[in-house]
Every structure is written in C-alpha cells, then in structure tokens.
Amino acid sequence: MAFDWVFVALMIVAVLLTGISKSGFAGGVGVVAVPLISLKASPTFAVAVMLPLLIVMDVFSLKAWWRQRVDRLLWLMFPPAILGVAVGYFTYGWFNEALLTLLLGIFSVLFGLWGLFKPLRGRLLPTWVGRLCGGIAGFTSFIAHAGGPPLNFYLLQCQLTKQQFLGTAVVFLAITNLVKLVPYTLLGLVTFDNLTIALLLMPVAWLGIQLGLIIQRRVDGELFFRVILCLLILLGIRLIIDGVS
C-alpha cells in the first residue's frame, strides 16, 4: 500500500473523529471512520487497523465514564452482542458489504428522523428491543465498527442522564471491541503492519478523546441528544450514498 499524504490525512481525520465520538457522542460519529479510510484502502484494512486504536481509545474513555454505567442495561444488551459478533465471524466474506452499508444507512436515517419528531424518552421500549439492538450492534460493530446507531436507538429511550447514557455506551462498546479481538485474530486481520500503523496514530486517538470530553461538557443534555440524532441522519445519508454507489 502506498502511504501518500491523502491516505495519511484520511487516517488522521478518521481516528480523530472516532476519538471525539467515543468520549463525547457515544459512538455516533465513529461509524464514518471505516468508509472514510476505505476511500484510499480496502474495507478489510480499515476495520483491521481501527480495532487496536479503538481498544486504546476505550481505555482512555473508561477512565472517564466507568462509574456512570448502568449495569442492568449492559446485562440486557451484551449477551446478544456476543451472538452478533459470532454471526459476523461465521458469515465473514458471505455478505455484500454494499448492502450492509445501505441497510445501516437507512436504519440510521429513519431512527434519527423518528427521534427528532417524536418524544424519545417518554416510555421504555420492551426489553426484547434492547436485546435485538444489542445483537445488531454486535454484528455491525464486527463488520464496520458501527455499533453506535443500534446501541443509541435503545439507550436514548431509557430515561438516562447524559452521563449514564455515555457511561453505558462507552462500557458496552469497549467490551464488544475486546470480544472482537479474538475473531479478528483468528481471521488474520491483526497483523504486525496494522499494529504498527495503530501505534503511530495513538497520539491522535488520545487527542480525539480529550476533544470529545471537552465538547460534551459544554453541551446541555437536551441539545446533546439532538446533536446525536442529527449526526445519525447525516451519517446515514452518507452510508446510503456509499451503499448504492
């Protein structure tokens, strides 16, 4: 692979946005990282090089949000997430990436529009919806590190404070990333070259985490949730374009 300046710039932007997303917006922006890197590299390379960086970012984020987690929601959603990761592993190479991207984009846009025009936290959804979202989040996280939208779909309606929302999302995504490390290694996606690139980008990951923490502290709760919904719509449109192109 030729490491030209465009590729380097895309990697830096992708890692920076992901860091901001993980510490300040519960993964809502990070879904763009794989499509962004894929402009100059294969999707397989993109997901492989991002995983060690995500785990490093999780360490930084967990220090800030561990005590804010809601354990009952983690116990509800995480077991299905493991199943979703397993499905991703056993179907690796079978599915059409363009179709998956398209479906994820449609899901994100529809959820974002629904959330903006209807009360999100007026009542809880059934627990089976939480389990389903957990399973989908595990699968989409395995495929494209895109577990944020399905996770947000359920958490945003659980009557959580901003801190509880962020803490639960950060812990869920961190544990899911650790689980993904096993199948990624078995598939040969964790290589010395990918780990070297990830090591070089770790300062950028740290900077993104710090920026995310600063941003979320200066945004009130209601505006915070609306920002996430708007970002999901914009990212969903981008994913739809990628899926049909």
Side-chain angles (χ1 to χ4, degrees), residues 72-168:
R72 61 177 176 83
L73 294 175
L74 292 172
W75 283 111
L76 174 70
M77 302 184 72
F78 185 63
I82 297 177
L83 180 60
V85 171
V87 171
Y89 170 69
F90 287 111
T91 61
Y92 181 79
W94 292 9
F95 49 84
N96 186 312
E97 286 190 13
L99 177 60
L100 177 64
T101 301
L102 177 63
L103 292 176
L104 184 60
I106 293 173
F107 176 86
S108 298
V109 170
L110 291 178
F111 163 62
L113 291 174
W114 180 82
L116 285 176
F117 294 104
K118 296 183 70 174
L120 279 178
R121 289 162 282 159
R123 61 184 177 85
L124 293 177
L125 289 174
T127 55
W128 68 264
V129 177
R131 295 189 182 96
L132 178 62
C133 288
I136 295 173
F139 178 73
T140 55
S141 180
F142 179 89
I143 299 304
H145 303 315
L151 177 65
N152 292 346
F153 179 82
Y154 188 70
L155 291 186
L156 280 171
Q157 299 165 78
C158 289
Q159 299 177 328
L160 304 174
T161 65
K162 180 174 71 172
Q163 290 73 22
Q164 290 174 324
F165 171 75
L166 281 167
T168 305

Side-chain angles (χ1 to χ4, degrees), residues 4-133:
D4 57 33
W5 286 108
V6 174
F7 172 77
V8 172
L10 289 174
M11 287 292 301
I12 291 174
V13 172
V15 173
L16 193 64
L17 286 177
T18 303
I20 293 172
S21 173
K22 289 187 73 63
S23 62
F25 296 93
V29 189
V31 68
V32 78
V34 171
L36 194 61
I37 297 172
S38 297
L39 293 175
K40 292 289 287 184
S42 70
T44 300
F45 170 85
V47 297
V49 77
M50 283 301 298
L51 182 59
L53 283 166
L54 289 172
I55 293 174
V56 172
M57 293 178 197
D58 290 333
V59 173
F60 293 135
S61 298
L62 285 172
K63 291 176 63 177
W65 297 112
W66 175 256
R67 295 182 183 275
Q68 304 295 334
R69 71 192 188 280
V70 179
D71 288 337
R72 61 177 176 83
L73 294 175
L74 292 172
W75 283 111
L76 174 70
M77 302 184 72
F78 185 63
I82 297 177
L83 180 60
V85 171
V87 171
Y89 170 69
F90 287 111
T91 61
Y92 181 79
W94 292 9
F95 49 84
N96 186 312
E97 286 190 13
L99 177 60
L100 177 64
T101 301
L102 177 63
L103 292 176
L104 184 60
I106 293 173
F107 176 86
S108 298
V109 170
L110 291 178
F111 163 62
L113 291 174
W114 180 82
L116 285 176
F117 294 104
K118 296 183 70 174
L120 279 178
R121 289 162 282 159
R123 61 184 177 85
L124 293 177
L125 289 174
T127 55
W128 68 264
V129 177
R131 295 189 182 96
L132 178 62
C133 288

Side-chain angles (χ1 to χ4, degrees), residues 25 28-29 31 105 108-117 120 152 156 222-238:
F25 296 93
V29 189
V31 68
S108 298
V109 170
L110 291 178
F111 163 62
L113 291 174
W114 180 82
L116 285 176
F117 294 104
L120 279 178
N152 292 346
L156 280 171
E222 193 61 35
L223 179 59
F224 171 82
F225 289 115
R226 290 186 176 275
V227 166
I228 291 179
L229 292 169
C230 291
L231 288 173
L232 282 177
I233 294 172
L234 293 175
L235 291 168
I237 292 173
R238 170 59 191 269

